[in-house]
Amino acid sequence: VQLVESGGGLVQPGGSLRLSCVASGLTSDDYLIGWFRQAPGKERDGVACISSVNGDTYYSDSVKGQFTISRDNAKNVVYLTMNTVSPEDTAVYYCAVPIVITTELRMGFLDITSWGQGSQVNVSS
């Protein structure tokens, strides 16, 4: 599996940004794909994911109502639209597949999870 991300960069507080992730080499039609982020000095945390089957979505509490995840199955592309960003959203964003939802209802990953190269998002004026 190969995941190639694009769309990161510098954005002002209150602005918007869209990340893209092109997936190739997927061997299953049933999976969760989405985004994690890692801020300096912090652990990698799940942000949002989406089902390849029915489009069901999951968001972490920290981005619910602010970020939107979407997909284009025909193109094998997953998008993360980030609205009303703040400096707290500054992080490296990673596309990942497959993703799991833990019993604590948090996003998790497996040993077999594949990762994108990471996209730096800086929110600053």
Side-chain angles (χ1 to χ4, degrees), residues 15-39:
S16 297
L17 198 67
R18 189 177 78 163
L19 303 179
S20 301
C21 172
V22 179
S24 60
L26 294 165
T27 57
S28 171
D29 293 329
D30 184 359
Y31 52 84
L32 292 176
I33 185 170
W35 299 85
F36 287 75
R37 68 183 179 184
Q38 188 166 20

Side-chain angles (χ1 to χ4, degrees), residues 65-77:
Q66 180 190 0
F67 291 4
T68 301
I69 189 168
S70 59
R71 65 190 170 104
D72 182 336
N73 273 4
K75 298 180 180 180
N76 278 343
V77 181

Side-chain angles (χ1 to χ4, degrees), residues 41-113:
K42 295 188 177 181
E43 294 184 351
R44 190 172 297 190
D45 287 331
V47 174
C49 60
I50 187 168
S51 167
S52 65
V53 175
N54 57 18
D56 284 353
T57 57
Y58 168 91
Y59 295 93
S60 67
D61 288 342
S62 61
V63 305
K64 200 171 294 183
Q66 180 190 0
F67 291 4
T68 301
I69 189 168
S70 59
R71 65 190 170 104
D72 182 336
N73 273 4
K75 298 180 180 180
N76 278 343
V77 181
V78 177
Y79 303 99
L80 183 70
T81 302
M82 307 163 59
N83 294 317
T84 321
V85 296
S86 70
E88 288 70 34
D89 296 315
T90 293
V92 179
Y93 286 72
Y94 296 93
C95 182
V97 65
I99 292 170
V100 297
I101 302 299
T102 70
T103 54
E104 293 79 24
L105 299 181
R106 296 172 61 91
M107 286 174 55
F109 52 88
L110 306 170
D111 289 344
I112 61 169
T113 294

